[in-house]
Amino acid sequence: MNNLNKRLLGSVFLFQALTSLVCGAVLVNPVIKLDSIETTISNIIGNSKLIYSAILLDTFTSLGIIVLGVLLYNSFSKVNKPAALIALSL
């Protein structure tokens, strides 16, 4: 595995982790109230742009997971191609 591939894997993993953290902790968590569903629904209606931003960030998180899987397959297929293919399909 060359140095560029290591850096790319690390940056994609960090991107995926940060987008997931920001989406869950910063965007969605203040809107959700566990004790009252009515309050949660009214918060979602009142903060629709925040929820749209959370959906967009979740989409980027999913894209990061797909890219991470492809990069990991590319890296580990040189070591054990059948195992890397099985891991990619999961």
Side-chain angles (χ1 to χ4, degrees):
M1 187 173 356
N2 60 15
N3 198 19
L4 177 66
N5 202 12
K6 288 178 187 178
R7 288 185 183 270
L8 194 57
L9 272 169
S11 62
V12 170
F13 181 74
L14 186 63
F15 172 78
Q16 183 272 328
L18 287 177
T19 54
S20 179
L21 180 71
V22 167
C23 180
V26 176
L27 295 178
V28 176
N29 197 26
V31 176
I32 304 294
K33 301 295 179 208
L34 295 177
D35 55 348
S36 173
I37 190 69
E38 293 87 10
T39 308
T40 300
I41 291 173
S42 65
N43 285 346
I44 289 172
I45 292 169
N47 298 314
S48 61
K49 291 187 189 225
L50 195 67
I51 299 299
Y52 289 144
S53 300
I55 292 170
L56 183 66
L57 254 129
D58 273 340
T59 304
F60 286 144
T61 300
S62 301
L63 182 64
I65 291 170
I66 292 168
V67 170
L68 188 63
V70 170
L71 287 172
L72 284 171
Y73 170 77
N74 188 21
S75 298
F76 292 121
S77 65
K78 298 170 183 108
V79 176
N80 190 352
K81 191 163 187 154
L85 188 61
I86 290 170
L88 179 65
S89 67
L90 295 177

